[in-house]
Amino acid sequence: MQIAHRIQQIAASQSLTMAARAGEMKAAGIDVISMSLGEPDMDTPVHIREAAKKAISDGWSHYGAVPGIASLRAAIATQQNSIAGNQIAWEANDVMVSVGAKMSIYNAIQTAINPDDEVIIPMPSWVSYSEMVKLAQGKVVAVHTKYEDNYCITPEQLRTALSEKTRMLILCSPNNPTGAIYNREKLEAIVTVLRDYPNVIVLSDEIYASLSYDISPVTLAAFEPLSDRLIIVNGVSKAYAMTGYRIGWLLTKNWPFLNACIRLQGQQLTCPAMVAQKAAEAALTGSQTCMEEMREVFAQRRELICRLAADIPGWKFNKPLGAFYLFPDVSAIGSGDVVAEMLMEKAHVAVVPGSAFGCPECIRLSYAISTEEIEEAMRRIKNVFM
């Protein structure tokens, strides 16, 4: 059976591949600790689960509006308006709900990118951005950021990468895989460069915005001049431990673009699951104490993994400011691929090689696992290198 060329050219997700491999080893009776997936290990808060049950009982089982339930879209706009520094007045009709933030990003790229359009992606970056650009037949312009800059793109790097063919810049803050956060000064410098390129769309992936520690991330909606070409993506997966509910969204003030996204989603999806949307609405409109409690747990785990990682020979790393990943440079030992394989075989710890994120000298460890698992995993890792 024929397989389309555009599918043949995309890579499998290495984070999912490593997680699957860990699962196979566990099934074979091997005690593997998986630090490969970016998924909170907590259960979805009770009041959100109860809202999902109520939605089933109340008959939320039919088709809904393509861009999402009106009340959820309103809740999303309200949440975005409440973010410190936000300078754009968001309304419900600026929102489209999708099956996870991943689909929102996919929709935005498919809608914006023509063949050979250039998309600037600071590396290291989440594994799927580049593959989505390839599916749209666009060209990835990878900008390799530096450890010394905490893996944040500089205005000089951005200006060098921009061209007449540039259609989009993708930023993720807090960042997956590095945990870096772009502060206001860094974003202001980027926005200043973009003023000379008014046709460049900015896609701001803010899925980890609620998981920050030493400083608060700055939403790109703090820069009103970007309003006609800004796409903000977020969702409930990370903040509320709702990965399996698959609810994310995009916001944009560019209504022709939003309507085009809605047309695309109408053909490929019809609508996100109605019960999951009602659960997401409960997450956004209910008490936010649960989110803060989870953030505090991750903050404690961050301190633990950084303290333990500091004792591992040959590792260097920047302390993550957000998300739940540690991204050490292991080049003093070997490539990230070699080290990841070594840890799987010798320590039975699954991590993701940095090559998946465009940074082959590193590995990514998720600390979205229990304290006990972190301690045991880091003990095993240390023993490999001692």
Side-chain angles (χ1 to χ4, degrees), residues 63-97:
Y63 288 136
V66 174
I69 297 171
S71 53
L72 174 57
R73 296 170 75 194
I76 291 165
T78 298
Q79 184 208 51
Q80 189 66 36
N81 286 331
S82 70
I83 294 175
N86 178 73
Q87 293 296 312
I88 299 173
W90 299 100
E91 301 175 3
N93 58 2
D94 300 323
V95 180
M96 185 180 78
V97 182

Side-chain angles (χ1 to χ4, degrees), residues 131-183:
E131 307 311 310
M132 290 179 184
V133 172
K134 291 178 187 177
L135 279 171
Q137 300 179 54
K139 178 182 177 182
V140 175
V141 178
V143 178
H144 295 280
T145 59
K146 298 179 180 179
Y147 174 89
E148 294 76 17
D149 296 322
N150 201 15
Y151 297 116
C152 291
I153 190 172
T154 66
E156 294 79 16
Q157 287 180 311
L158 176 59
R159 191 173 290 279
T160 299
L162 285 159
S163 76
E164 293 182 356
K165 292 184 177 181
T166 305
R167 179 62 172 159
M168 179 181 284
L169 165 67
I170 299 178
L171 288 180
C172 178
S173 178
N175 183 264
N176 173 14
T178 67
I181 289 177
Y182 286 82
N183 61 24

Side-chain angles (χ1 to χ4, degrees), residues 36-88:
S36 54
L37 284 182
E39 178 176 36
D41 63 321
M42 303 87 164
D43 289 329
T44 304
V46 172
H47 73 282
I48 300 173
R49 284 182 273 157
E50 291 300 321
K53 294 176 186 177
K54 186 175 186 301
I56 295 172
S57 298
D58 290 348
W60 287 89
S61 55
H62 301 281
Y63 288 136
V66 174
I69 297 171
S71 53
L72 174 57
R73 296 170 75 194
I76 291 165
T78 298
Q79 184 208 51
Q80 189 66 36
N81 286 331
S82 70
I83 294 175
N86 178 73
Q87 293 296 312
I88 299 173

Side-chain angles (χ1 to χ4, degrees), residues 237-282:
S237 290
K238 315 299 183 179
Y240 301 97
M242 294 176 66
T243 52
Y245 285 76
R246 308 310 304 133
I247 294 294
W249 54 81
L250 64 79
L251 303 97
T252 181
K253 278 291 183 181
N254 191 311
W255 288 355
F257 184 86
L258 180 65
N259 288 331
C261 286
I262 293 170
R263 289 201 307 274
L264 172 62
Q265 180 155 292
Q267 292 296 343
Q268 67 181 345
L269 174 65
T270 302
C271 67
M274 301 296 279
V275 170
Q277 288 190 69
K278 293 302 290 183
E281 182 183 338

